[in-house]
Amino acid sequence: MRTKYGLNMIKKNNDFFMQKALDQAKLAFKIGEVPVGAVIVDSDGEVLAKGYNKIEKDKCQLYHAEVIAIKKACKKKGDWRLDDCWMYVTLEPCLMCLGLMKLSRLKGVIYGAKSPLFGLGCKFDKLPVFYKKGFEIIGGVKKKESADLLKYFFNLARERG
């Protein structure tokens, strides 16, 4: 019988799950996308879904790694409610993605690098999203690896013009 992963078990495995998100970010990098990757983990510690940025490929801002992962997780669960699931993402989520996470009833998000341009961090709790259960935001897991991949991508992009 599998036991439920509580917050403590999720936190103990942060590096493991964030590495899976980094692997997704590397897939985005390979196709010329901003390297952001995401995975969703259920309360049993199973990876339900993975996603990486496909904004340039699909020519639409809806194709953030987080949105793709949520869509896949909902399909796998057969429900839009992702209660007790956690998202791991390599970059601090934007307003759109954080709103979708909360509306999808994720338990929380764990991210790598901060996003000085679009990330919301703790400001998100002040947004009026009408779902009573808490939503936890944890930052800085594999921060250096996440930030280094993004810096490398943007340095290459600047070199290419």
Side-chain angles (χ1 to χ4, degrees):
M1 180 177 187
R2 297 173 86 181
T3 58
K4 293 276 185 199
Y5 264 52
L7 177 59
N8 289 335
M9 282 304 287
I10 292 290
K11 286 181 178 178
K12 285 181 184 176
N13 290 290
N14 278 350
D15 285 347
F16 175 79
F17 293 124
M18 188 60 77
Q19 185 57 55
K20 293 198 174 292
L22 276 163
D23 292 344
Q24 291 296 300
K26 290 172 186 173
L27 293 174
F29 183 92
K30 285 181 184 178
I31 64 168
E33 294 281 351
V34 174
V36 178
V39 296
I40 296 177
V41 178
D42 71 10
S43 60
D44 293 325
E46 178 185 344
V47 174
L48 280 181
K50 302 172 187 176
Y52 56 87
N53 274 1
K54 294 183 181 175
I55 296 164
E56 296 298 331
K57 179 183 178 286
D58 291 329
K59 308 290 187 235
C60 181
Q61 277 292 330
L62 286 174
Y63 293 95
H64 287 205
E66 300 96 324
V67 175
I68 292 167
I70 287 173
K71 186 175 179 181
K72 288 179 179 179
C74 290
K75 185 173 183 177
K76 186 169 184 176
K77 282 190 76 164
D79 194 352
W80 62 267
R81 294 169 193 87
L82 299 175
D83 294 313
D84 298 321
C85 293
W86 286 83
M87 165 119 19
Y88 286 81
V89 63
T90 57
L91 182 63
E92 182 182 15
C94 69
L95 173 61
M96 174 183 74
C97 292
L98 276 167
L100 180 60
M101 287 176 205
K102 193 151 185 181
L103 290 170
S104 298
R105 298 187 180 174
L106 284 168
K107 188 87 172 153
V109 61
I110 299 165
Y111 68 86
K114 289 201 68 67
S115 175
L117 294 176
F118 301 110
L120 283 180
C122 63
K123 298 177 217 165
F124 182 65
D125 286 337
K126 294 175 178 57
L127 297 174
V129 178
F130 302 104
Y131 179 56
K132 301 226 184 268
K133 289 186 181 179
F135 182 85
E136 190 160 351
I137 300 170
I138 300 168
V141 175
K142 288 198 173 270
K143 176 182 176 179
K144 181 176 178 358
E145 295 93 325
S146 298
D148 286 349
L149 183 59
L150 286 159
K151 287 175 189 172
Y152 182 59
F153 174 83
F154 286 113
N155 284 338
L156 282 177
R158 279 190 283 282
E159 286 174 13
R160 292 180 185 149

